[in-house]
Amino acid sequence: VQAGQVTKIQAAARMKAARAVVARRRAERQRDAGDAQARVEAGAAILSEIMTASKLELQQLEVEVLRARAATTEREELARQARAQARTSDAALVDDALRAAEIAKTV
């Protein structure tokens, strides 16, 4: 083996080593890009779950508000009925008092 051939062999070996380094770095970049993509997808899935849970909580709150409104309306209706009944009772008492006064006048 002559000195020129040794230099060529060494150059070829260095070229192969450089290509291997480039290939390894490319594989690392692809793996890192894949990891980043996986992290983005996992983050999107988590965000989607949070949004779904938030929507469900909002719907539950809306149902509670509707129930509270219905209960308030029912209480208001019962109060209105009680006032109407009290007015009727008051009117009956006044009528009874007037009748008693009329009877007292005649006696």
Side-chain angles (χ1 to χ4, degrees), residues 2 6 8-9 25 34-35 41 45-46 61-62 74 79 84 87 93 96 98-100:
Q2 295 179 354
V6 170
K8 287 181 184 180
I9 292 171
R25 288 182 183 162
D35 289 348
E41 289 173 2
I46 290 169
L61 288 174
E62 289 172 347
E74 184 178 342
R87 282 191 296 271
L93 288 173
D96 289 346
L98 288 174
R99 271 190 240 116

Side-chain angles (χ1 to χ4, degrees), residues 12-91:
R14 282 194 294 271
M15 185 63 92
K16 284 182 181 180
R19 286 183 184 144
V21 168
V22 168
R24 188 192 65 196
R25 288 182 183 162
R26 183 181 307 126
E28 288 172 353
R29 281 194 306 272
Q30 288 173 346
R31 185 197 69 220
D32 291 346
D35 289 348
Q37 180 65 29
R39 285 192 300 273
V40 167
E41 289 173 2
I46 290 169
L47 183 58
S48 176
E49 289 177 21
I50 290 170
M51 294 289 290
T52 300
S54 296
K55 287 178 186 176
L56 290 175
E57 288 175 16
L58 180 60
Q59 288 174 348
Q60 289 173 345
L61 288 174
E62 289 172 347
V63 167
E64 288 178 27
V65 166
L66 291 174
R67 285 183 182 154
R69 284 183 183 163
T72 300
T73 302
E74 184 178 342
R75 283 191 300 272
E76 289 171 350
E77 177 61 22
L78 289 173
R80 186 190 63 73
Q81 289 174 4
R83 286 190 300 271
Q85 187 175 1
R87 282 191 296 271
T88 303
S89 296
D90 290 346

